[in-house]
Amino acid sequence: MSRTHEVAWAAGFFDGEGYVTIQRRKQFINGKEYTGHYLRVGVNHVAPEPLYELQRLFGGKIEKQDPTKVIGNRKPRHRWHLSTNSAKEMLVQILPYCKNKNSVIELALEFQATM
């Protein structure tokens, strides 16, 4: 499969399952508090295989949900995510193939351009 086909698949998967968010960051450096915001994208999914594909294509991290936090008969979820410029680079690549999250992606790219 070509890279174009892989990115188109990833765009469709992300368009249906993914999220784009602006996270608040708070840090303490030398006793002084600093706050700010950063771009973050990701997908939560029970099956890890599509997340490994996203990681292969764009990088990022995959984490498995803590089993003690699974509620009821639900299965543990896996989370793939990217932040800041890595998130921007991924969004730029998938934007031409998205149908639902276009306006959200464009807003996220505008935000990241201010950083």
Side-chain angles (χ1 to χ4, degrees):
M1 186 182 302
S2 72
R3 172 77 182 181
T4 302
H5 287 98
E6 291 177 328
V7 171
W9 168 84
F13 186 72
F14 184 83
D15 213 12
E17 300 288 330
Y19 62 85
V20 178
T21 186
I22 305 298
Q23 296 283 130
R24 185 166 189 232
R25 177 182 303 170
K26 187 190 316 189
Q27 292 178 300
F28 290 92
I29 300 173
N30 296 327
K32 187 172 180 182
E33 180 180 339
Y34 295 90
T35 59
H37 296 84
Y38 66 99
L39 175 63
R40 185 172 188 152
V41 299
V43 177
N44 294 320
H45 208 265
V46 172
E49 293 80 12
L51 305 184
Y52 290 128
E53 277 301 303
L54 291 172
Q55 185 180 46
R56 183 181 67 79
L57 290 168
F58 306 112
K61 295 181 183 177
I62 296 175
E63 300 165 343
K64 187 173 181 179
Q65 182 181 19
D66 181 349
T68 63
K69 297 189 177 181
V70 177
I71 299 171
N73 63 352
R74 292 184 151 191
K75 295 180 180 178
R77 294 178 297 160
H78 298 79
R79 178 179 64 205
W80 167 81
H81 58 90
L82 288 171
S83 299
T84 62
N85 281 331
S86 298
K88 179 199 113 188
E89 291 171 20
M90 182 274 257
L91 292 175
V92 166
Q93 290 181 53
I94 69 168
L95 180 59
Y97 306 103
C98 288
K99 298 284 183 189
N100 297 314
K101 290 187 170 71
N102 300 55
S103 60
V104 172
I105 290 172
E106 289 168 359
L107 185 61
L109 294 174
E110 285 179 38
F111 169 81
Q112 189 60 29
T114 68
M115 303 315 271

